[in-house]
């Protein structure tokens, strides 16, 4: 078992009970488990139009997460990716519908249409006024006579929900829902398929590819395309959407299909704003997980050209945490650094041997990125190579503004650059190292002694000593041996680095959080980087 679940048969009921229990009394569920799974508002006033939606589970927080003030009155939940039964839908309708009637909001899948449709007919036989709208926002397959309903359904929930909350009649709420459906267009993209509980994962999407236009139940997309980053992914999505978008400003809903990190979704938002169609997006919902496909590593984008009244409904207040709200996009505002933080750089100067030396060293570290990351994954968080490579690229870019002809000033300038461009504790420690080396050099110490002074200051601040399984284990012996030449220094660095593989209890750095069993036999990545650099210089 690779999922946090108990029995496959209980996952929906246990999840719903968790949601209800954590609602603070705002939600309840109907009796009837396991065949009837309906979550409903406890504060519902039947004098208003009821909104009932639902479908298969696995799309959380949809649909139960949108039950509450300003959105749904009840959600009817089926098994994972399976429509709820007619009886379950009917139970939901009967539980929340009064004289004002009920609107069923249904995604365009055969099972949902049939079960919700038949339940509506049976509810009408009870004398209830029930209407039904079908959401068909997916534009992945434009030639289909019946497009699928996906995350654009949430626009319908919110607009119809706001009108129902305000007391609008069933006819008005239904008309508004149909207007939203007519204008909403959506499409999804994923780098991987989802894992259905209790079933083997389908390995359909090869590495380096993305699937465009796949459904929220893991259905195959319209095509697989080469994946080259977030910017290209957004452009591919807009390639499908732009053909059906009007020239009006649109509200966009950026939905996490379940497996993307928050960081990735923020990058996709940036790509959306900067895209060729970004100027048409006036407001954004998300990015957030709103209608997922279990753990699918993808996103969907829905767009809707909201008029003033619809925008008012979309932005109206609701206490539901699953609805992230609507924000107006604004130009990026950049505030100047406070006084004293803007770096004061020495006058740049050129010295070709120093330039060549620095670029050569940086290029070596860049070439080691993947190797050092893999080594760091054994004892840390797998980013040592990326951290050093990123700093090296930044130093190469900064070469023309460095005081290359004045080594005393150069040490300090390197410290400033690293403090700004190198992340994590490594950037701070190396900035201290070079700043202290610059101070020592300005007092007249030669290079080796200046670098040793920098190392001593770095150790005092960072707390690492010889034997603590850090880069100090390679750098300290290398600097000690440097008075006998670069070859001796390289040999000493390699010996120190190799010794770290025998140290099974780290006393500093991230390795200190890792067990002895994981550390044994693996060289510290920082020490390895130092050793490789000295070996490269010696050769």
């Amino acid at each position: 078992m690779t999922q946090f679940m108990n029995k496959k048969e209980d996952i929906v009921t246990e999840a719903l009970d968790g949601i209800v229990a954590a609602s603070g009394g705002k939600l309840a569920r109907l009796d009837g488990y396991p065949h009837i799974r309906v979550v409903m508002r406890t504060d519902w006033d039947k004098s208003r139009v009821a909104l009932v939606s639902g479908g298969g589970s696995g799309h959380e927080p949809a649909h139960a997460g949108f039950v509450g003030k300003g959105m749904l009155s009840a959600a009817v939940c089926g098994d994972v990716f399976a429509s709820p039964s007619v009886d379950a839908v009917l139970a939901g309708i009967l539980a929340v519908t009064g004289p004002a009637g009920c609107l069923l909001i249904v995604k365009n899948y055969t099972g949902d249409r049939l079960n919700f449709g038949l339940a509506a007919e049976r509810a009408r036989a009870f004398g209830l006024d029930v209407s039904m709208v079908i959401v068909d926002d997916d534009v992945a397959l434009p030639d289909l006579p019946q497009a699928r309903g996906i995350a654009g359904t949430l626009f319908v929930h919110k607009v119809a929900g706001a009108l129902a909350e305000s007391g609008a009649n069933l006819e008005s709420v239904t008309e508004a829902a149909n207007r939203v459906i007519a204008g909403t267009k959506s499409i999804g993209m994923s780098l991987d398929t989802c894992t259905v509980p209790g079933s083997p994962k389908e390995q359909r999407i090869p590495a380096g590819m993305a699937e465009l236009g796949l459904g929220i139940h893991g259905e195959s997309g319209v095509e697989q395309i080469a994946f080259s980053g977030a910017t290209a992914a957004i452009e591919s999505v807009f390639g499908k959407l732009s053909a059906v978008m009007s020239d009006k400003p649109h509200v966009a809903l950026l939905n996490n299909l379940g497996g993307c990190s928050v960081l990735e979704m923020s990058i996709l938002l940036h790509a959306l704003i900067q895209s060729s169609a970004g100027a048409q997006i006036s407001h954004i919902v998300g990015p957030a997980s709103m209608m997922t496909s279990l753990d699918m590593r993808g996103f969907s984008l829905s767009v809707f050209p909201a008029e003033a009244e619809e925008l008012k409904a979309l932005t109206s207040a609701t206490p539901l945490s699953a609805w992230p709200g609507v924000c107006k996009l604004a130009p990026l505002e950049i505030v100047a650094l406070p006084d004293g933080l803007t770096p004061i750089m020495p006058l740049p100067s050129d010295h070709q041997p120093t330039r060549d030396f620095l670029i050569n060293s940086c290029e070596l570290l860049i070439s080691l990125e993947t190797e050092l990351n893999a080594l760091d994954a054994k004892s840390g968080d797998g980013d040592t190579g990326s951290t050093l490579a990123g700093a090296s690229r930044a130093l190469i870019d900064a070469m023309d503004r460095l005081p290359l002809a004045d080594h005393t000033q150069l040490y300090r300038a390197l410290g400033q650059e690293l403090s700004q461009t190198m992340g994590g504790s490594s950037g701070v420690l190396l900035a201290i190292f070079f700043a202290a080396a610059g101070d020592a050099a300005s007092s007249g110490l030669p290079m080796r002694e200046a670098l040793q002074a920098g190392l001593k200051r770095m150790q005092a601040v960072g707390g690492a000593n010889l034997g603590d399984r850090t880069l100090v284990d390679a750098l300290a012996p290398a600097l000690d041996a440097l008075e006998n030449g670069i070859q001796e220094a390289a040999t000493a660095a390699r010996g120190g680095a190799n010794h770290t593989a025998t140290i099974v209890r780290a006393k500093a750095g991230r390795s200190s959080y890792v067990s002895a069993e994981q550390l044994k036999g693996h060289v510290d990545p920082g020490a390895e980087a130092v050793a490789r650099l000295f070996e490269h210089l010696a050769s």
Side-chain angles (χ1 to χ4, degrees):
M1 184 183 295
T2 58
Q3 295 168 307
F4 289 108
M5 53 179 274
N6 297 307
K7 292 194 300 182
K8 175 185 174 184
E9 297 77 17
D10 297 337
I11 54 178
V12 176
T13 56
E14 290 179 355
L16 292 179
D17 278 353
I19 292 171
V20 172
S23 70
K26 296 181 177 67
L27 300 178
R29 69 165 172 88
L30 289 182
D31 196 4
Y33 272 5
H35 305 297
I36 293 175
R37 290 169 290 205
V38 176
V39 174
M40 56 182 289
R41 293 172 60 174
T42 56
D43 64 346
W44 180 242
D45 178 359
K46 289 187 177 182
S47 66
R48 287 171 292 174
V49 174
L51 295 189
V52 177
S53 189
S57 297
H59 307 300
E60 289 71 24
H63 300 83
F66 297 103
V67 177
K69 185 176 181 180
M71 293 192 79
L72 300 178
S73 312
V76 190
C77 306
D79 288 326
V80 172
F81 294 169
S83 176
S85 67
V86 174
D87 282 354
V89 178
L90 180 60
I93 297 171
L94 296 177
V96 295
T97 305
C102 175
L103 173 64
L104 301 182
I105 301 173
V106 183
K107 297 188 301 302
N108 194 22
Y109 295 95
T110 301
D112 288 348
R113 289 181 69 123
L114 292 176
N115 286 293
F116 277 81
L118 181 52
E121 292 298 330
R122 289 176 59 183
R124 293 181 188 117
F126 279 94
L128 298 178
D129 191 1
V130 180
S131 64
M132 186 168 82
V133 295
I134 307 294
V135 186
D136 55 355
D137 53 315
D138 189 3
V139 299
L141 301 166
D143 296 330
L144 278 183
Q146 293 186 355
R148 298 175 293 205
I150 52 177
T153 307
L154 301 175
F155 282 138
V156 186
H157 288 175
K158 187 65 181 69
V159 172
L163 290 177
E165 196 74 43
S166 70
N169 61 32
L170 180 59
E171 182 180 4
S172 298
V173 174
T174 304
E175 287 178 357
N178 278 320
R179 285 197 304 273
V180 177
I181 291 168
T184 300
K185 310 298 177 186
S186 304
I187 192 169
M189 174 184 279
S190 184
L191 299 176
D192 199 4
T193 54
C194 58
T195 307
V196 178
S199 301
K201 182 180 176 66
E202 182 185 7
Q203 304 294 340
R204 186 178 70 236
I205 306 174
M209 301 295 285
E211 195 160 86
L212 180 62
L214 72 177
I216 57 173
H217 306 107
E219 308 99 315
S220 298
V222 62
E223 60 180 323
Q224 290 187 359
I225 60 176
F227 176 69
S228 59
T231 298
I234 288 292
E235 291 293 351
S236 296
V237 164
F238 265 129
K240 297 288 186 180
L241 289 175
S242 59
V244 292
M245 289 173 64
S246 68
D247 294 332
K248 298 178 180 179
H250 284 66
V251 179
L253 186 147
L254 185 54
N255 173 55
N256 187 343
L257 285 170
C260 290
S261 66
V262 175
L263 182 64
E264 289 171 285
M265 294 305 297
S266 296
I267 293 169
L268 287 166
L269 174 58
H270 174 262
L272 168 64
I273 295 168
Q274 299 296 322
S275 69
S276 58
Q280 285 186 261
I281 306 303
S282 62
H283 295 74
I284 187 74
V285 181
S289 297
M290 291 172 275
M291 186 170 287
T292 61
S293 181
L294 294 170
D295 60 347
M296 186 179 286
R297 186 95 185 277
F299 70 96
S300 66
L301 181 63
S302 304
V303 292
F304 170 55
E307 299 290 347
E309 281 300 308
E310 293 155 342
L311 189 58
K312 180 181 177 182
L314 287 172
T315 56
S316 63
T318 176
L320 297 175
S321 60
W323 176 254
V326 181
C327 292
K328 183 177 176 61
L329 291 176
L332 187 65
E333 182 178 351
I334 301 174
V335 179
L337 286 172
D339 290 344
L341 288 182
T342 303
I344 301 173
M345 296 294 293
L347 291 174
S349 59
D350 200 14
H351 183 252
Q352 195 61 42
T354 301
R355 177 186 289 269
D356 293 342
F357 171 82
L358 289 175
I359 291 176
N360 187 261
S361 299
C362 288
E363 288 176 343
L364 171 74
L365 294 174
I366 292 170
S367 72
L368 295 175
E369 180 175 3
T370 301
E371 188 176 342
L372 292 176
N373 279 344
L375 190 59
D376 189 30
K378 309 287 186 183
S379 58
D381 56 1
D383 69 347
T384 293
S386 297
T387 300
L388 291 171
S392 297
R393 294 185 183 99
L395 282 181
I396 291 174
D397 291 341
M399 206 62 61
D400 289 337
R401 62 175 182 270
L402 294 177
L404 299 176
D406 184 343
H407 288 183
T408 298
Q409 293 298 323
L410 178 59
Y411 291 138
R412 291 168 171 161
L414 289 174
Q416 282 192 340
E417 286 289 340
L418 291 174
S419 70
Q420 290 192 317
T421 61
M422 191 174 183
S425 57
S426 301
V428 177
L429 291 171
L430 288 177
I432 292 170
F433 171 77
F434 282 111
D439 292 343
S442 67
S443 66
L445 290 180
M447 180 189 72
R448 184 177 77 94
E449 286 76 5
L451 293 176
Q452 285 178 317
L455 176 59
K456 186 176 181 180
R457 183 83 61 81
M458 183 178 75
Q459 287 181 266
V461 175
N465 296 303
L466 277 172
D468 285 352
R469 206 178 193 280
T470 69
L471 62 81
V472 172
D473 290 305
L475 184 55
L479 293 180
D480 288 341
L482 191 57
E483 63 178 341
N484 298 319
I486 188 66
Q487 189 62 59
E488 289 291 326
T491 301
R494 171 48 60 197
N498 288 348
H499 178 63
T500 62
T502 68
I503 302 173
V504 295
R505 184 181 177 188
K507 299 177 183 177
R510 286 205 174 105
S511 295
S512 61
Y513 305 116
V514 180
S515 68
E517 188 174 316
Q518 288 178 271
L519 295 178
K520 188 176 181 181
H522 301 299
V523 175
D524 177 77
E528 178 67 17
V530 171
R532 295 287 284 271
L533 181 57
F534 273 95
E535 288 171 339
H536 178 71
L537 297 176
S539 66

